[in-house]
Structures are given as structure tokens and as C-alpha cells.
């Protein structure tokens, strides 16, 4: 077969890959629940003019202005719906697949480009971020486009010189305007280019850099403001990366569909190419570039997150991820017989789609906290049980997160507001001292049903326990990624008692039971039952110690501690503690909550709650240690210490393996 025939085969294969990429990205993209981040962008479009957009929609957000300005113009022309909002971002995702092919081709060969493009087509990581209106898919497309024209300007500068310079300047500046990690990626690429300057390419390259500077100059002031915001720790949802774990290894596995076997296929396919008789070992500089460009953004983000402010999350590494694929497939030979190439590429593409669609069930689950499902479930429950019979509570970062979908149904749901001066925060309850507000809502409710919903933010895991004090019967519960829905009832005929995974109650009637400590503190209470008196010199209450494997069935189980407390005055020095320890008794995860949050008056019994979903269980042989810490020598009485372990949401963070 002639070389021309092979080129035609490669062109057709690229067409198939792009067609599949389009189908995978457009499938169901308009029906997916709008995400909290997309709602946040829409809220920041509620301005009167362009100046207001920059001052109120861009400066406080911490992202460059590009996507927000684009959405401002786009929605003014095409309105707001999931389909119209996401359409250009889906196109960007398809364009990123094409540019990944072009970069691989210009660095190595067309065959390498086909396998890289096929990977970008089906892998869940780039696919996921191509279906939402966020900066990731355009940032990826602009970064890869800039890389392609960077390569042409530096290594093929003779033809179409002006066009290449303009294209490089545009794509690099667009990446700068899209996301600060695409900014970082293109900045690294731009600085790397200085190494390859010669008398032929230095003028056009410096001209392109100058064009980028001119295009981005209007944004300098905004970017300087963003530097003062800090990292995502201030948003209270992203912490520093775990320095004891293997963050990079876990990220790489995640990027390959969380599938060790699929990652193995990639490695075998790529390194197996070395054995092929047409293998060419040259072009080492591009392999080094691919390796460095993949690793450097991670290292910068990791160090910045550890030593300055947390910014590192998987999504921001999307812009550097294609360079890992390019490195792996750089070993693919330049010449492969056409029939063999067709079978190999189409077989690889099919295998990848099976991994994403069938094994990972990409279209059957949720990858972001749902909002549409919250609105639809609230409407359903009102229609079934009557809105007047349900007390409804919500935990979301802004009312518009549910109002967006409720408005589409022409419905209004009367959710109870938490105590706050800012109406935009009226559905936010972050726990701790705010749990008393929620408990008051439950206590004041006289309706037969209680609905609690949350999405896309932290929801205190004590809340269902607080509700079940008065509404002990579970009517319905729905689990989603980073979202949950609960409907409770006071009527046993309308629901069921939740069966705990583990239950331990110490009421002191027969001593300490499985709790450890001295029984000298056990006293008679006024009701004639037993209780435990904590004296001023008692630092710790009786202690419970149990093995993880004896208490829990999977990592997303929730451990609940509750107890009755009576004290003469409110004290902030009495702490309920749930602690994780290694088998030899060395603590590595400590969680406490102040019982004063639940205080109801002097010498009055009140119930306090503390619940934990552990994220860092190291071994099923580890220990859970539970006790009350009398930090500053307060005198008080406790009773009815209860440890309960419940199932928890197994898909709350989208984990595939939640075994102990």
C-alpha cells in the first residue's frame, strides 16, 4: 500500500475519532443537572453593565475574566439553558481532541497523533470537563492550540510566518484569559521556547510573545487583585494535599478511568511499540518536553498548596495531562501497515469506550453535586404528601441553586431559612454552633414530615441524627455525588427505622459495659437512674476503643456519638472526641466538637451530637477512640453515651472502591 493510501487511512481514522468525540460529548449534555459552579457563573452575570461584570463577576471570583465575559455575551444572545450554556464548551472539548492530534503529529508522527486523540476522545477525565460550562475544556483547547503553533513557529518558521505568529499569540493569550493553570501551562511552554531560539525563528517567536503581552495587558490589574484572594482554603472546601499519601499516583490512576487494567493496556501498547521493527528512537527532546510539561504544573501546584495556599485539585491538571499521553505514544512507529493501523486504532478506541461507558457507567451516574434532582424530589414529595404537611430544610450555598430548576417547573418551595442577615446565605448551615439553629427548626416543626436536602457544599453529618430525634422514621433517601435527599416521618406506618451497622449504648445502669475507665464517677440521678459525674480533676470520661473492622463495613460509614449532658453553666471546654489511631495506639486523626453548641440552660439535661465520616482510614485494623475531654476542669454530668455507625453515602465523592 502506498504512503498516500496510508495517509488517507489516517485521515479517515481521525475523522472517526472526532465523530466519536462529538457523540460522547453531546450525548445527554443538555439534560445533565446544572452544577453549582455553573450557577455561580450565572449569578455573577447579574450585573447592569460590563464594568459591573468585571467588578462583581470577575474580581471576587479568582478566575481570569475570559470565560465570564464570554458567558456574558453568549447568554445575552442565546439565553440561559443547560444546552445553550454548554454548547461552546462541548465544541472546545472536541477541538482539544483535534489539537492533541496535531501536536503529537508535529512532534512525532501521525500514528502517535491518532492514539493520543483516541485517548483524549474516550478517557473520562477530559470527557467529563467537556460537558460543563467551566474554563477547563476551552483552557485545554487553547493550551494545545498554543502548543501546536509554538511548535510551528519554532521548528517550521519558513512558511505562513505571519499567520503562525498571530495564531500563537491568540491561543496563548486566550489560555491566559481562561484559567490560571492554563496560564501557567502556556507560560511554561513560552519560557521553554527561549531555549530553541536561533537566527531563523527568534524574530517571529519574540513577536508572538510580544503579541501575548499586548493582548493580556488589560487584565494585569484584575490578576493582581486575584493574587490577594489566596487559595481555596479560604473557601473552606479545599485543604492542603496529603503529604503522606501518593497524590500524583492517585491522580494518574484517576486520569485513566480509575482503572489499573486500562492503565496497563496503555503501558503495554506504548512500550510494546519498541519491539516493532519500524520503531525509531529519535526525537528525544520532545519526549523530555512532554515529561517536564506534565510534571512541572503538578510540582508547582503541589508546593504552592503545601507552603502557601491550597490550589491543587485534579481538574487544574487537565491542561498538562495530554503531555503524558503524548509521552506514552511517542514510541508509536511512524510507519504501520494501513490495515493493522485501522484495527489497532479502532480496537483501542472501542476498548476505551467500553471502559468509560460500560465499566465506569459514565452516563448513568453523577460527577458533580446534583441540583435538578433536588428540585424534582421536593416537587414529587409535595405532590404525594402535600406541601402543607412537610417541613422543608435545605443546605446549599445560594438559593438560586434550586430556584433555577424550580423556576423551570413553575414551582416555589417554601424552605425554612436559617438565621442570617444575608438572604443569599439563608440556606447555609456549616454545622458547629449553627447546629443549634437547625435543632431549633426541627424542635419547632409540627408537620408530619421533614425533608432535608443538600448539594455541592459541606453538610454536617450530625443533621440527619438531629432530625431523627423527632422524626425517627425514614420514608425515603436518595444518594448522589456530593448531594443527598432525606424524607423523615413521625409516623411509623409511613417509614422505617434505620438499621445501624453498629450500635453501642452506655447508660451506666450496669457499670461501664465495653467502655474503659473508673466506675467511681457513676452516681444516682434525680430520676433514680444512673449517670456519670465528671469532677473538675477528671480530664477524660470513660473511653471506648474499637477496631475499625468491628465497627464499619466500608469507608463511607458514618460514626455518630451522642450523649446527654447537664452542667451548671455553658462551658466551651467540654469536647466530644472521635479519634483514629493506628493499631499500636498512635493517633493520626482527631475530631472534636464542643458540647456547648447544644447547651439549653443551667442544670438542664441536653443532648449533644458529634458525627464523623473519616476520609483517611489507613487500615481496617486501626482503632476508633471515643471519649469526652474535660479540657479546663469543668464539673458536669453525662448519661446515655451512644455510638452508632450508619451506612453513609457510598458515592458521595464518586469513589469506586470504598472497602476497608
Amino acid at each position: 500500500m502506498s504512503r498516500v493510501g496510508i495517509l488517507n487511512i489516517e485521515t479517515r481514522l481521525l475523522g472517526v475519532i472526532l465523530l466519536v468525540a462529538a457523540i460522547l460529548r453531546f450525548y445527554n449534555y443538555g439534560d445533565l443537572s446544572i452544577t453549582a459552579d455553573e450557577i455561580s457563573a450565572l449569578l455573577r452575570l447579574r450585573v447592569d453593565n460590563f464594568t459591573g461584570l468585571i467588578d462583581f463577576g470577575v474580581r471576587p471570583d479568582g478566575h481570569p475574566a475570559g470565560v465570564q465575559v464570554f458567558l456574558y455575551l453568549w447568554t445575552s444572545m442565546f439565553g440561559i439553558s443547560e444546552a445553550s450554556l454548554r454548547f461552546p464548551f462541548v465544541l472546545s472539548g472536541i477541538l482539544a481532541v483535534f489539537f492533541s492530534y496535531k501536536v503529537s503529529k508535529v512532534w512525532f508522527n501521525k500514528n502517535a497523533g491518532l492514539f493520543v486523540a483516541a485517548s483524549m476522545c474516550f478517557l473520562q477525565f477530559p470527557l467529563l470537563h467537556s460537558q460543563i460550562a467551566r474554563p477547563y475544556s476551552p483552557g485545554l483547547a487553547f493550551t494545545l492550540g498554543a502548543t501546536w503553533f509554538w511548535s510551528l513557529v519554532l521548528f517550521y518558521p519558513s512558511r505562513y510566518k505571519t499567520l503562525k505568529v498571530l495564531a500563537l499569540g491568540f491561543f496563548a493569550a486566550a489560555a491566559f484569559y481562561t484559567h490560571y493553570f492554563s496560564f501557567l501551562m502556556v507560560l511554561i511552554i513560552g519560557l521553554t521556547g527561549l531555549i530553541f531560539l536561533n537566527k531563523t525563528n527568534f524574530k517571529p517567536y519574540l513577536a508572538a510573545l510580544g503579541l501575548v503581552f499586548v493582548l493580556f495587558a488589560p487584565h494585569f490589574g484584575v490578576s493582581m487583585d486575584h493574587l490577594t484572594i489566596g487559595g481555596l482554603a479560604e473557601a473552606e472546601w479545599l485543604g492542603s494535599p496529603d503529604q503522606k499519601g501518593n497524590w500524583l499516583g492517585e491522580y494518574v490512576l484517576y486520569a485513566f478511568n480509575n482503572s489499573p487494567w486500562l492503565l496497563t493496556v496503555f503501558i503495554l501498547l506504548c512500550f510494546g511499540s519498541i519491539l516493532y521493527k519500524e520503531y525509531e528512537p529519535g526525537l528525544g527532546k520532545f519526549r523530555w518536553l512532554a515529561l517536564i510539561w506534565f510534571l512541572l504544573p503538578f510540582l508547582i501546584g503541589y508546593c504552592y498548596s503545601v507552603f502557601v495556599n491550597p490550589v491543587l485539585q485534579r481538574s487544574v491538571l487537565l491542561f498538562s495531562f495530554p503531555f503524558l499521553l503524548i509521552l506514552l505514544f511517542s514510541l508509536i512507529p511512524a510507519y504501520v501497515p494501513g490495515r493493522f493501523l485501522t484495527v489497532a486504532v479502532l480496537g483501542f478506541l472501542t476498548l476505551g469506550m467500553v471502559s468509560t461507558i460500560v465499566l465506569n457507567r459514565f452516563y448513568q451516574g453523577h460527577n458533580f453535586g446534583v441540583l435538578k434532582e433536588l428540585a424534582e424530589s421536593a416537587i414529587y414529595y409535595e405532590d404525594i404528601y402535600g406541601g402543607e404537611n412537610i417541613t422543608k430544610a435545605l443546605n446549599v450555598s445560594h438559593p438560586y441553586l434550586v430556584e433555577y430548576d424550580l423556576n423551570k417547573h413553575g414551582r416555589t418551595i417554601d424552605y425554612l431559612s436559617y438565621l442570617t442577615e444575608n438572604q443569599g446565605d439563608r440556606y447555609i448551615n456549616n454545622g458547629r454552633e449553627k447546629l443549634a439553629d437547625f435543632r431549633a427548626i426541627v424542635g419547632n416543626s409540627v408537620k408530619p414530615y421533614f425533608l432535608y436536602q443538600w448539594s455541592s457544599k459541606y453538610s454536617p453529618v450530625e443533621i440527619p441524627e438531629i432530625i431523627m430525634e423527632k422524626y425517627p422514621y425514614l420514608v425515603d433517601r436518595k444518594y448522589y455525588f456530593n448531594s443527598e435527599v432525606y424524607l423523615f416521618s413521625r409516623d411509623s406506618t409511613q417509614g422505617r427505622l434505620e438499621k445501624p451497622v453498629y450500635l453501642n449504648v452506655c447508660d451506666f445502669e450496669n457499670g461501664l459495659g465495653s467502655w474503659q475507665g473508673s466506675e467511681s464517677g457513676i452516681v444516682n440521678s434525680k430520676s433514680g437512674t444512673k449517670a456519670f459525674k465528671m469532677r473538675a480533676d477528671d480530664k477524660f470520661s470513660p473511653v471506648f476503643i474499637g477496631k475499625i473492622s468491628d465497627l464499619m463495613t466500608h469507608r463511607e460509614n458514618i460514626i455518630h456519638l451522642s450523649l446527654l449532658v447537664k452542667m451548671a453553666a455553658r462551658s466551651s471546654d467540654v469536647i466530644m472526641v472521635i479519634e483514629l489511631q493506628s493499631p499500636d495506639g498512635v493517633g493520626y486523626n482527631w475530631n472534636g466538637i464542643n458540647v456547648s453548641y447544644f447547651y439549653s440552660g443551667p442544670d438542664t439535661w441536653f443532648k449533644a451530637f458529634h458525627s464523623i465520616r473519616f476520609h483517611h482510614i489507613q487500615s481496617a485494623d486501626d482503632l476508633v477512640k471515643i471519649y469526652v475531654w474535660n479540657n479546663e476542669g469543668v464539673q458536669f454530668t453525662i448519661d446515655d453515651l451512644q455510638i452508632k455507625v450508619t451506612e453513609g453515602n457510598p458515592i458521595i465523592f464518586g469513589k469506586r472502591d470504598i472497602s476497608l
Side-chain angles (χ1 to χ4, degrees), residues 58-63 224-231 234 309:
V58 175
R59 291 185 191 275
D61 177 54
H63 288 89
M224 294 305 295
D225 288 343
H226 287 163
L227 288 175
T228 66
I229 294 177
E234 297 185 12
N309 273 307

Side-chain angles (χ1 to χ4, degrees), residues 540 543-548 551-552 559 561 576-582 585-593 610-612 614 616-617 622-629 643:
F540 303 101
V543 176
F544 173 88
I545 300 177
K547 187 187 289 189
I548 287 287
L551 274 67
M552 302 173 62
I559 299 177
L561 170 62
M576 303 167 65
V577 177
I578 304 177
E579 181 181 357
L580 276 181
Q581 296 182 340
S582 60
V586 177
Y588 64 86
N589 192 299
W590 188 98
N591 290 274
I593 191 170
H610 182 30
S611 302
I612 287 295
F614 283 115
H616 304 296
I617 295 174
D622 288 348
L623 304 174
V624 176
K625 184 176 181 180
I626 298 174
Y627 55 94
V628 179
W629 177 29
I643 299 169

Side-chain angles (χ1 to χ4, degrees), residues 251-273:
Y251 158 67
V252 171
L253 183 61
Y254 163 79
F256 288 91
N257 287 6
N258 272 319
S259 172
W261 73 264
L262 183 63
L263 180 58
T264 301
V265 168
F266 271 77
I267 294 172
L268 291 177
L269 179 62
C270 300
F271 287 94
S273 301

Side-chain angles (χ1 to χ4, degrees), residues 461 556-560 611-613 644-649:
V461 283
E556 295 305 340
N557 285 167
I558 302 173
I559 299 177
H560 306 277
S611 302
I612 287 295
R613 176 189 283 112
K644 182 170 72 171
V645 179
T646 56
E647 282 290 343
N649 182 348

Side-chain angles (χ1 to χ4, degrees), residues 401-570:
L401 267 68
V402 289
E403 289 173 355
Y404 173 86
D405 284 293
L406 289 173
N407 292 340
K408 293 198 297 184
H409 290 278
R411 295 286 288 266
T412 299
I413 300 293
D414 184 23
Y415 290 104
L416 291 178
S417 174
Y418 306 125
L419 301 178
T420 177
E421 295 180 0
N422 184 349
Q423 284 300 294
D425 296 338
R426 67 181 181 268
Y427 298 143
I428 296 177
N429 190 312
N430 291 325
R432 300 289 166 172
E433 65 275 8
K434 296 297 183 183
L435 289 175
D437 299 338
F438 192 89
R439 196 176 186 198
I441 288 176
V442 177
N444 293 329
S445 174
V446 296
K447 297 180 180 180
Y449 299 96
F450 197 103
L451 172 66
Y452 176 69
Q453 303 172 299
W454 70 272
S455 180
S456 307
K457 69 175 297 296
Y458 170 69
S459 174
V461 283
E462 293 89 355
I463 282 182
E465 292 297 298
I466 291 173
I467 297 172
M468 284 190 289
E469 266 195 294
K470 189 168 183 178
Y471 293 83
Y473 303 103
L474 181 64
V475 179
D476 196 14
R477 175 176 56 199
K478 300 179 186 298
Y479 287 150
Y480 305 100
F481 179 93
N482 202 23
S483 316
E484 291 176 338
V485 174
Y486 295 88
L487 183 65
F488 296 99
S489 171
R490 291 188 293 176
D491 187 347
S492 61
T493 65
Q494 298 299 314
R496 67 188 186 279
L497 290 173
E498 184 179 28
K499 184 179 180 181
V501 174
Y502 175 86
L503 183 65
N504 182 297
V505 179
C506 179
D507 59 10
F508 303 109
E509 299 303 316
N510 298 300
L512 298 181
S514 56
W515 293 65
Q516 302 174 16
S518 171
E519 295 187 356
S520 61
I522 297 178
V523 296
N524 291 317
S525 66
K526 289 183 178 180
S527 63
T529 60
K530 304 287 187 179
F532 193 93
K533 185 79 170 183
M534 292 287 292
R535 298 177 294 269
D537 57 349
D538 291 333
K539 275 292 185 183
F540 303 101
S541 73
V543 176
F544 173 88
I545 300 177
K547 187 187 289 189
I548 287 287
S549 58
D550 294 334
L551 274 67
M552 302 173 62
T553 55
H554 62 69
R555 291 177 182 271
E556 295 305 340
N557 285 167
I558 302 173
I559 299 177
H560 306 277
L561 170 62
S562 65
L563 68 155
L564 296 176
V565 186
K566 182 172 67 173
M567 55 181 57
R570 183 189 295 271

